[in-house]
Amino acid sequence: MKFFFTFSLFTFFNLFSFSQDLSYYLPDSIQYDPSVPKPQDVIYHAVGEWHVTHDKLVNYMQVLAKAVPSRVKIETMGFTYEGRPQVLLIFTSPKNHQNLEQIRQQHVQLTDPQRSSSLNIDDMPVVLYIGHSIHGNEPSGSNASLLSAYYLAAGQGKQIDDLLDQSVILFDPSLNPDGLQRFSTWVNQHKSKNLVTDPNSREFNEVWPGGRFNHYWFDLNRDWLPAVHPESQNRLTWFHKWKPNVLTDHHEQGSNATFFFQPGVPSRVNPLTPAKNQELTQKMANYHAAYLDRIGSLYFTKENYDDFYYGKGSTYPDINGAVGILFEQGSSRGHAQQTSNGLLTFPFTIRNQFVTTLSTMEASKQLRKELLSFQRDFYKASISEAASASVKAYVFGDEHDQTKTQEFITMLQRHQIAVFQLVNNIKSGGLDFQKQHSYIVPTSQGQHRLIRAIFEKTFNYQDSLFYDITSWTMPLAYGLKYAELNASQFNNNLLGAKHVTANTTANFSVPAKSSYAYLIEWTELYAPAALYELLHEGVTVRVASNPFSMQVGGATKNYSYGTLIIPVQTQTLEADKVFSVIQNISKKYALPVQSFSSGTAMSGSDLGSSRFLPITKPAIAMITGTGVNALDAGEFWHLMDQRMNIPVSHLETGVFNRVDISKYNTLVFTSGNFNEINKEKLRTWVQGGGNLILLEEAVSWAVQAGFNNATLKKATPAFDTSAHLPYIDREQIVGAQAVRGAIFKADVDLTHPLGYGYITPTVSLFKSNKVFMEKSKNPFATPYYYKANPLESGWVSRQNLNSIKNSAAVVVSGLGSGKIISIADNPNFRGYWLGGTKLMMNAIFFGKMINTSSGITED
């Protein structure tokens, strides 16, 4: 069957003269209904002539759904942070549309081992999810979606009819609407009438942070598993509503590359992914190769990219009984760019994405029964594997932070994982779990493999090179106490009769009015949000620097370091106003607040003690712009804005150097290069009492700049520099020294202001850098540190592990009247590392009160 014109490169000067009628893109074996609007009829330019903006893209999809309702149904999955709709089109035959809900319900039964055996798959449609451009500055996917949607809506003949009759196609034209809009605006406003192809031109070099990310500068292609953002949450709802057999993820790569499709590097496939998945991936790859061969497009497979981290769009389906496929097109990054392969035009990149959409649909149709069988067998095998596995359940919970526990439950349930209340108190792994605050996840359920992927620690790997992180053990990330239960520990009597729902809220008592004082424990996740709101309303708040106990309801209750006290009589506000504010924050953040009529402590400091230190309202600025790691900056911004409701000013380097910064008492430098910062201005600000918080590579920069007295350890050499090694081994040896991301256990000084709110003396931190700090010579200035065996989960080279052993994770130093807090790792990683949140918030609220003097005088 003839599909395409045979040329693949062309002169861009006459490009649009033949692309107006879509003949450059569309198969010549298909006829099209002339009553169906073409893309240019709605977006007012030819496909590839300009970069489609998200509003025009959605408008075209809505027009198609209205024009061909018998084939197309459009749904709004939800909205992004910036209020853009996430639309999903459902393409299938008119007959299937008439029975769509019945088809969906029957298809989902394939994932239920108790019901799937009786299903007849002979005539069951295969379900595809076609997703485009999760990175906004990789736009050929979303622009190709205009063509694919038109092809599916307007195409006529047996080929199209058979495809639609045997398929239900979930069609997501833009996985990242906010990023796509940002990037399309950039390249369109820099396009010349006479196309400029010089890679140095402004069109191809976005300003910071670029269009890759969502509103908060997150990489949404790492968010499928944690599902922190609404874009991911909305998409997952529809993914699990339909349980697709195949999901495509259309990306772009460097401009000098050709085209990649999976399979990826064989040695980097997650061991929880069944071999049959990779077999089907290869079978589908044969179709991609054949289709790209027809148009003369170069491609490669089994290199560079892997299938290890389940938080990516092309890998998440693999742990859900489906086949995920990554497409990576060499990017024009604009309209036409000179590359090492010659001139690369935007229409050329669009055509390759469109062609591999066609190859995916054809492969899925031809492999329909095999894909459906694989899905059914995947979930059956999950139950069998669970029966033979040594771990029968996971128990978790934090009686000191019920809100964080509920966040974890919500994440699990987004992935269709059943969670139950614990009925009886149990002990496992040396940990006690109280039934009223603990939950249990049996492993014998359809999502057995995904449960393992979420809970297991990982130490053994086939390869030492990774495209993304090497571990993501989620209870450690959330900072939750958890344990495995084996067959002798687990039985169904531990499971509560009531299935825990995502709407379950933490139990807390609405405070009674007091004329004396209120206490709030610092252990709860959103206690910092409540503290800021109190300070913002003008309420005076103090923090306990000593533990103490009080009489509560006839019993003695212990309060730890970091407990907040709100005295009533010393406030400038009326007692009724103070009570109103406290009531509001208690309800808003599900935060327990205790009222007291006396300041007498049963033990420790009385409430009027000077051990309760005054807290200053933080006025925070973060350095942003060129040189700053946008991901890390976005993680801090998201934490403060979305979770804690605390405003943060974003200062670019030029602005910092120009303006009066005395209005800020806290500055945050995330990882990056800050060489253009006015260092003397920064030094003077710290000396004047400023609180400077440095994360990751910002620590190294400040040391090199001469005003951070933290000492960096020298990394252990990867190899003997006098040795002669084969050149072919260079990639493996050098690449293995990258710290791609692993989890390390740090010991915490719970008495230190930076340790307030933690209950156990260890915390799990995520490290993906080579910042290794020596412990401070001041014995009180290293509140977080690694011991001799810090690795909790993940892969790190022996040399890097040696550098991490017995190193400092956090060091505090003084400069004049100010403080410098150096945090070597990332406590805010990807927005879900809630185990590090308390460290970050302690640095914000309590950093200024740290005494950095060692108190030691030398003779």
Side-chain angles (χ1 to χ4, degrees):
M1 177 168 49
K2 184 180 179 184
F3 260 79
F4 294 93
F5 296 113
T6 57
F7 57 86
S8 62
L9 294 177
F10 45 86
T11 305
F12 71 95
F13 296 108
N14 66 358
L15 165 67
F16 300 113
S17 63
F18 63 78
S19 65
Q20 291 286 342
D21 62 0
L22 302 180
S23 61
Y24 171 67
Y25 301 108
L26 296 177
D28 57 10
S29 59
I30 301 293
Q31 299 298 313
Y32 298 92
D33 184 347
S35 69
V36 176
K38 296 179 180 178
Q40 56 264 44
D41 297 333
V42 178
I43 66 174
Y44 303 116
H45 61 79
V47 175
E49 181 182 6
W50 296 87
H51 285 244
V52 70
T53 57
H54 184 261
D55 54 330
K56 288 185 176 182
L57 180 65
V58 171
N59 190 26
Y60 181 64
M61 299 302 160
Q62 292 171 335
V63 167
L64 277 187
K66 186 176 181 180
V68 197
S70 61
R71 281 193 185 182
V72 192
K73 181 180 180 182
I74 191 167
E75 301 279 359
T76 299
M77 296 185 287
F79 296 87
T80 69
Y81 287 115
E82 296 178 12
R84 292 189 174 86
Q86 291 176 264
V87 298
L88 185 74
L89 285 76
I90 304 176
F91 289 97
T92 192
S93 67
K95 179 186 68 176
N96 288 342
H97 266 299
Q98 293 174 5
N99 302 286
L100 195 61
E101 179 58 18
Q102 180 182 348
I103 290 172
R104 186 193 67 81
Q105 291 183 15
Q106 187 179 50
H107 179 82
V108 170
Q109 288 179 28
L110 284 176
T111 66
D112 183 354
Q114 295 182 342
R115 296 190 293 174
S116 62
S117 296
S118 61
L119 294 175
N120 183 356
I121 64 172
D122 289 345
D123 298 317
M124 183 182 292
V126 66
V127 178
L128 288 73
Y129 193 116
I130 301 178
H132 305 86
S133 300
I134 200 166
H135 296 145
N137 64 355
E138 300 175 4
S140 56
S142 285
N143 282 265
S145 75
L146 295 163
L147 301 167
S148 304
Y150 175 73
Y151 173 87
L152 290 169
Q156 295 180 317
K158 186 176 186 306
Q159 184 176 333
I160 292 288
D161 291 343
D162 288 349
L163 171 66
L164 294 176
D165 194 49
Q166 298 179 51
S167 309
V168 174
I169 300 168
L170 310 177
F171 192 85
D172 191 335
S174 174
L175 296 165
N176 180 3
D178 294 347
L180 181 71
Q181 187 73 18
R182 191 183 314 132
F183 181 73
S184 61
T185 300
W186 174 266
V187 291
N188 286 339
Q189 71 182 11
H190 291 98
K191 178 190 175 186
S192 299
K193 181 183 70 171
N194 300 294
L195 296 184
V196 176
T197 64
D198 177 7
N200 298 322
S201 188
R202 185 171 169 85
E203 178 181 353
F204 310 109
N205 296 277
E206 301 169 81
V207 294
W208 193 94
R212 178 182 178 91
F213 313 117
N214 78 339
H215 175 79
Y216 283 98
W217 312 332
F218 276 71
D219 186 337
L220 290 176
N221 196 41
R222 305 298 186 271
D223 195 47
W224 284 76
L225 192 58
V228 170
H229 302 284
E231 298 94 332
S232 305
Q233 296 166 11
N234 297 335
R235 190 184 318 117
L236 281 172
T237 297
W238 281 86
F239 179 94
H240 287 292
K241 184 175 182 177
W242 272 96
K243 302 284 188 181
N245 301 102
V246 175
L247 184 145
T248 62
D249 194 15
H250 292 261
H251 287 253
E252 290 180 2
Q253 55 188 324
S255 298
N256 292 320
T258 58
F259 191 93
F260 169 85
F261 53 85
Q262 288 175 314
V265 179
S267 60
R268 301 182 207 164
V269 177
N270 195 297
L272 292 174
T273 299
K276 182 65 175 180
N277 169 280
Q278 292 297 289
E279 178 186 329
L280 285 166
T281 302
Q282 181 57 60
K283 287 184 176 182
M284 299 191 77
N286 296 335
Y287 285 83
H288 309 321
Y291 275 54
L292 290 171
D293 284 343
R294 289 173 185 170
I295 60 170
S297 288
L298 298 175
Y299 54 84
F300 65 98
T301 66
K302 301 178 183 177
E303 295 177 9
N304 298 354
Y305 302 96
D306 62 36
D307 289 300
F308 189 78
Y309 171 50
Y310 286 126
K312 296 189 300 182
S314 61
T315 314
Y316 182 77
D318 298 344
I319 198 70
N320 282 277
V323 175
I325 301 175
L326 172 66
F327 295 123
E328 292 275 358
Q329 165 63 50
S331 179
S332 66
R333 281 293 185 268
H335 294 86
Q337 182 180 166
Q338 291 290 346
T339 74
S340 61
N341 295 315
L343 181 67
L344 180 62
T345 66
F346 189 39
F348 177 79
T349 68
I350 293 171
R351 186 172 64 159
N352 283 343
Q353 299 279 24
F354 172 60
V355 167
T356 47
T357 296
L358 297 184
S359 63
T360 300
M361 293 188 295
E362 180 65 17
S364 300
K365 185 184 73 172
Q366 297 297 334
L367 299 171
R368 178 181 60 84
K369 291 181 67 173
E370 195 170 355
L371 288 164
L372 294 169
S373 294
F374 168 64
Q375 186 174 44
R376 174 164 54 189
D377 294 344
F378 177 93
Y379 286 96
K380 283 185 175 182
S382 294
I383 300 299
S384 299
E385 290 171 13
S388 60
S390 59
V391 177
K392 299 302 181 185
Y394 292 95
V395 60
F396 65 90
D398 187 345
E399 61 269 29
H400 302 287
D401 192 346
Q402 297 180 60
T403 302
K404 188 168 63 177
T405 303
Q406 292 301 320
E407 292 272 349
F408 186 68
I409 291 172
T410 299
M411 181 275 295
L412 293 174
Q413 293 179 333
R414 286 196 176 105
H415 302 293
Q416 307 291 294
I417 294 172
V419 183
F420 298 86
Q421 183 82 42
L422 184 66
V423 170
N424 301 316
N425 298 340
I426 62 172
K427 185 172 184 176
S428 181
L431 301 172
D432 292 312
F433 294 90
Q434 304 299 314
K435 62 182 181 180
Q436 64 268 38
H437 302 299
S438 301
Y439 304 86
I440 193 164
V441 175
T443 59
S444 183
Q445 47 182 301
Q447 293 291 56
H448 169 75
R449 287 189 178 98
L450 184 54
I451 291 169
R452 289 181 58 190
I454 287 172
F455 281 91
E456 284 185 347
K457 298 178 180 179
T458 310
F459 298 100
N460 300 314
Y461 300 84
Q462 295 183 19
D463 205 330
S464 56
L465 300 183
F466 301 87
Y467 187 75
D468 201 69
I469 61 178
T470 70
S471 180
W472 53 88
T473 310
M474 300 298 270
L476 297 180
Y478 277 71
L480 287 175
K481 177 174 64 176
Y482 83 109
E484 300 173 351
L485 300 181
N486 59 33
S488 66
Q489 297 170 300
F490 173 74
N491 59 71
N492 287 332
N493 293 330
L494 291 174
L495 302 181
K498 183 180 179 182
H499 186 258
V500 178
T501 68
N503 292 324
T504 302
T505 56
N507 295 320
F508 68 99
S509 300
V510 176
K513 183 178 179 181
S514 171
S515 60
Y516 192 84
Y518 302 93
L519 294 182
I520 299 174
E521 293 184 88
W522 191 243
T523 53
E524 285 284 343
L525 175 64
Y526 293 120
L531 172 56
Y532 184 84
E533 198 160 321
L534 286 166
L535 296 172
H536 183 70
E537 292 290 339
V539 177
T540 298
V541 186
R542 292 176 175 266
V543 61
S545 62
N546 260 4
F548 61 101
S549 61
M550 302 289 289
Q551 187 171 19
V552 178
T556 299
K557 178 174 174 58
N558 296 322
Y559 288 91
S560 189
Y561 303 95
T563 300
L564 305 179
I565 176 174
I566 299 99
V568 176
Q569 296 303 318
T570 58
Q571 301 287 340
T572 59
L573 302 176
E574 296 292 332
D576 286 345
K577 174 62 175 175
V578 173
F579 179 56
S580 175
V581 172
I582 287 175
Q583 274 191 314
N584 288 338
I585 64 146
S586 179
K587 294 176 182 178
K588 184 175 181 179
Y589 298 109
L591 192 65
V593 179
Q594 190 66 49
S595 305
F596 289 92
S597 59
S598 171
T600 302
M602 305 295 292
S603 64
S605 300
D606 293 328
L607 299 189
S609 168
S610 61
R611 298 290 186 177
F612 289 91
L613 306 176
I615 304 173
T616 302
K617 178 184 172 181
I620 309 164
M622 171 179 63
I623 304 303
T624 60
T626 303
V628 176
N629 185 312
L631 290 168
D632 291 355
E635 289 159 2
F636 176 68
W637 179 23
H638 177 270
L639 169 67
M640 303 302 284
D641 194 41
Q642 282 291 321
R643 292 196 185 277
M644 299 302 170
N645 295 321
I646 299 176
V648 175
S649 296
H650 301 169
L651 302 184
E652 296 216 2
T653 299
V655 175
F656 174 91
N657 292 341
R658 185 177 71 249
V659 303
D660 177 11
I661 59 172
S662 62
K663 62 167 34 173
Y664 311 109
N665 57 29
T666 302
L667 286 177
V668 177
F669 283 50
T670 60
S671 62
N673 184 316
F674 305 93
N675 289 336
E676 300 303 316
I677 281 280
N678 186 327
K679 300 177 184 62
E680 287 308 310
K681 184 176 183 178
L682 179 60
R683 183 193 305 273
T684 300
W685 177 85
V686 177
Q687 289 173 330
N691 183 31
L692 177 60
I693 302 171
L694 305 170
L695 304 179
E696 301 188 89
E697 283 84 357
V699 173
S700 304
W701 169 81
V703 170
Q704 294 164 3
F707 58 83
N708 183 1
N709 65 8
T711 303
L712 300 178
K713 296 178 69 174
K714 291 184 178 180
T716 306
F719 48 83
D720 182 355
T721 55
S722 65
H724 295 281
L725 301 172
Y727 181 77
I728 193 66
D729 294 340
R730 180 186 180 280
E731 179 183 3
Q732 193 72 32
I733 294 173
V734 175
Q737 296 309 309
V739 182
R740 298 298 300 180
I743 306 171
F744 298 89
K745 180 170 66 176
D747 279 54
V748 184
D749 177 1
L750 299 179
T751 73
H752 195 283
L754 295 185
Y756 288 175
Y758 288 108
I759 300 299
T760 59
T762 61
V763 62
S764 300
L765 296 176
F766 188 85
K767 190 172 192 68
S768 57
N769 61 52
K770 300 183 77 169
V771 179
F772 312 123
M773 291 192 297
E774 297 280 7
K775 295 177 183 177
S776 174
K777 293 180 180 179
N778 180 340
F780 311 112
T782 310
Y784 292 71
Y785 55 93
Y786 296 117
K787 288 186 175 179
N789 297 297
L791 181 63
E792 279 194 291
S793 184
W795 193 92
V796 65
S797 72
R798 174 180 52 81
Q799 295 87 348
N800 287 326
L801 183 58
N802 287 337
S803 296
I804 296 168
K805 290 179 179 179
N806 301 308
S807 69
V810 181
V811 171
V812 184
S813 59
L815 182 62
S817 299
K819 307 296 186 298
I820 300 177
I821 301 172
S822 300
I823 304 175
D825 305 315
N826 186 356
N828 313 311
F829 182 66
R830 291 184 178 169
Y832 69 89
W833 211 269
L834 301 185
T837 299
K838 203 65 70 180
L839 164 60
M840 192 73 236
M841 301 315 299
N842 287 345
I844 295 289
F845 283 104
F846 308 140
K848 289 176 64 66
M849 64 180 63
I850 298 171
N851 188 335
T852 55
S853 171
S854 68
I856 300 173
T857 58
E858 297 182 0
D859 295 334

